[in-house]
Amino acid sequence: MTDTFRDDASRLDVRYVAHLARLHLSDEEAAVFQPQLEQVLGYVRELGALDVEGVEPTAHAFPVQNVFRDDEVRPGLDHEAAMKNAPQERQGQFIVPKIIE
Amino acid sequence: MAGLSNLTLHETADRLARGECTSEDLVRDLVAAIEQRDGKVGAYVWVNVEDALARAREADAARLGGDRRPLLGIPLAVKDVLNVKDQPCACGSRILKGYVSPYDATAIARLREQGAVFLGRTNMDEFAMGSTTENSALGVTRNPWDLARVPGGSSGGSAAAVAAGEALAALGTDTGGSVRQPASFCGCVGLKPSYGRVSRFGLTAYASSLDQIGPMTRDVRDAAMLLQAMAGRDPRDSSSVEIPVPDYSASLRNDLNGMKLGLPREYFIAGTDPEVERAVRAAVEQCRALGAEFVEISLPHTPYAIATYYVVATAEASANLARFDGVRYGARVEGEDPIDMYGKTRAAGFGREVKRRIILGTYVLSSGYYDAYYLRAQKVRTLIRGDFEKAFAGCDAILTPVVPTPAYRIGEKADDPLQMYLGDIFTVTANLAGICGLSVPCGFAGAGLPVGLQILGPAFKEENILRVGYAYEQSTEWHLRKPNLES
């Protein structure tokens, strides 16, 4: 675990990760974010000092499981209201750039 | 009419009930206060004058017809992250410019059922990411106590509006301290309910396992009143919990007899401003004089809380903010193909702090790093929860500072994200552990900057922290002081 941590900062490539997040970065932003995020990761790496062997992870502070509701038809957001904020809309559908040639 | 805008909610409700003022008077007074002061303070991003007046007149008519709902005709300010039907909800972001909510958040719907009127929307750090409200794309908010300083964040507009007499009370949201910290910086009361106490439906998500909606008010009774209206299970939020909601006002009394309060040694540390520490220590003595018994406790994993928080919160944020892609709502920048469109839309729509957190969150979830960062942080989160479980076995509530310092100067930490994050040390733990927390004014530091006392309670024991906060507040006068905005 400690070894993984030691290598991490050098491997954070903000451009690559930003691409995974579908986020274009300017050269200036990449140059500013790279050292800032390396510094934050350096700090976060302190977690590596703790022994967490056998500790269960917490995903939610108050664990609830299998929350079901009755399977009943209820009114939802109507079509017109759902389309109201669309950046581009035609015949009740969202317009996006062409995906398949 | 004059002076209505500085009343508490319960005083307002009493005056309305006695017919000493109308809801329309209230809205007019608040709008006048906003017109007079908000040019300096910048608490609001949008004010709903005509519709609020119409709703106020409806409420006045209903009152004449015998309607006695507790919040009837009472105007509230709402953080710009909570959906109110037919109002804008920009979340402090360019990417949601022009967005109009098609529905009410559940917390809003419940307040509406009690008769509340939604007067306007308050500024915030973009998508609630920040501690100063400087990360808003919609303008600058200033601290009413010192206009050269920040109001705190991310619910900075809500805190500033209440402190400046531009709102009777406001709603905020708290993911790592975003209700309690601005309440502390602006000298108002801020309550973060236990995770699952208030429905998150209609709250634009930042970090779903940490977010809670909370009231920001002039006194503890008001916080209890708003929590009462909002709390309880909601079928539309599966993380809201089916635990009965007690009558919070019944827990408000003037003594602390029989209460056992914990002082965690990890929260009284070097680095805390000496005047903040002095104010909090004095509050501890006041609570002792009110009958509380004190025990020293330890929350040993506190030094790991900030790191844990910034892994868990950014991971969840990176997933939650994936929905802003320029397809269904918000701004769009055209691209050659959908991927290009997403990248350009998000580049133009998000500010720097949001971009940093999306990148960090994507990284800690990415293949090869998940175990080392995200899974490990979730395990440390279990240890932090365990610290509180052990502590609360021996006490009813815990007293700490809210923030190590009074309000920062505008621009002071803008280019140093890590320093900014470290200021959240005393507040993030409550969100990680899912417990409740209250910030109550407990004095002033420096040249008149408010200081807050944090009262932490076990999950779903809001009555404990309200009782402590109320008894303390009622025995002091800190909460009655007002900033001077006339000069």
Side-chain angles (χ1 to χ4, degrees), chain B residues 256-263 287-288 290-295 394-397:
Chain B
L256 293 175
N257 294 334
M259 292 290 279
K260 206 182 244 188
L261 303 180
L263 292 178
C287 290
R288 201 189 305 275
L290 289 164
E293 183 193 332
F294 278 89
V295 286
C395 64
D396 303 302

Side-chain angles (χ1 to χ4, degrees), chain B residues 332-465:
Chain B
R332 174 191 289 192
V333 178
E334 296 299 340
E336 290 166 22
D337 52 55
I339 303 280
D340 191 43
M341 182 192 85
Y342 304 152
K344 285 177 174 163
T345 295
R346 291 158 65 79
F350 290 139
R352 292 202 162 192
E353 184 60 22
V354 172
K355 289 177 183 174
R356 274 193 289 264
R357 293 198 195 188
I358 288 174
I359 294 170
L360 189 60
T362 304
Y363 179 75
V364 299
L365 289 176
S366 62
S367 172
Y369 301 101
Y370 180 92
D371 284 2
Y373 288 105
Y374 186 64
L375 187 62
R376 175 163 281 254
Q378 284 190 310
K379 290 179 177 177
V380 180
R381 186 175 180 184
T382 305
L383 298 175
I384 291 168
R385 271 177 67 198
D387 283 356
F388 280 102
E389 269 167 31
K390 276 185 216 117
F392 284 128
C395 64
D396 303 302
I398 294 171
L399 300 194
T400 80
V402 182
V403 201
T405 64
Y408 318 130
R409 276 185 201 82
I410 290 174
E412 186 179 331
K413 302 201 177 194
D415 289 320
D416 193 342
L418 182 58
Q419 277 310 309
M420 181 75 82
Y421 299 169
L422 294 176
D424 300 339
I425 176 69
F426 300 145
T427 50
V428 294
T429 47
N431 303 79
L432 290 167
I435 62 174
C436 56
L438 181 69
S439 175
V440 178
C442 74
F444 289 83
L449 298 172
V451 175
L453 168 71
Q454 179 170 243
I455 307 162
L456 299 173
F460 301 99
K461 285 287 183 190
E462 279 76 5
E463 57 271 33
N464 289 15
I465 59 175

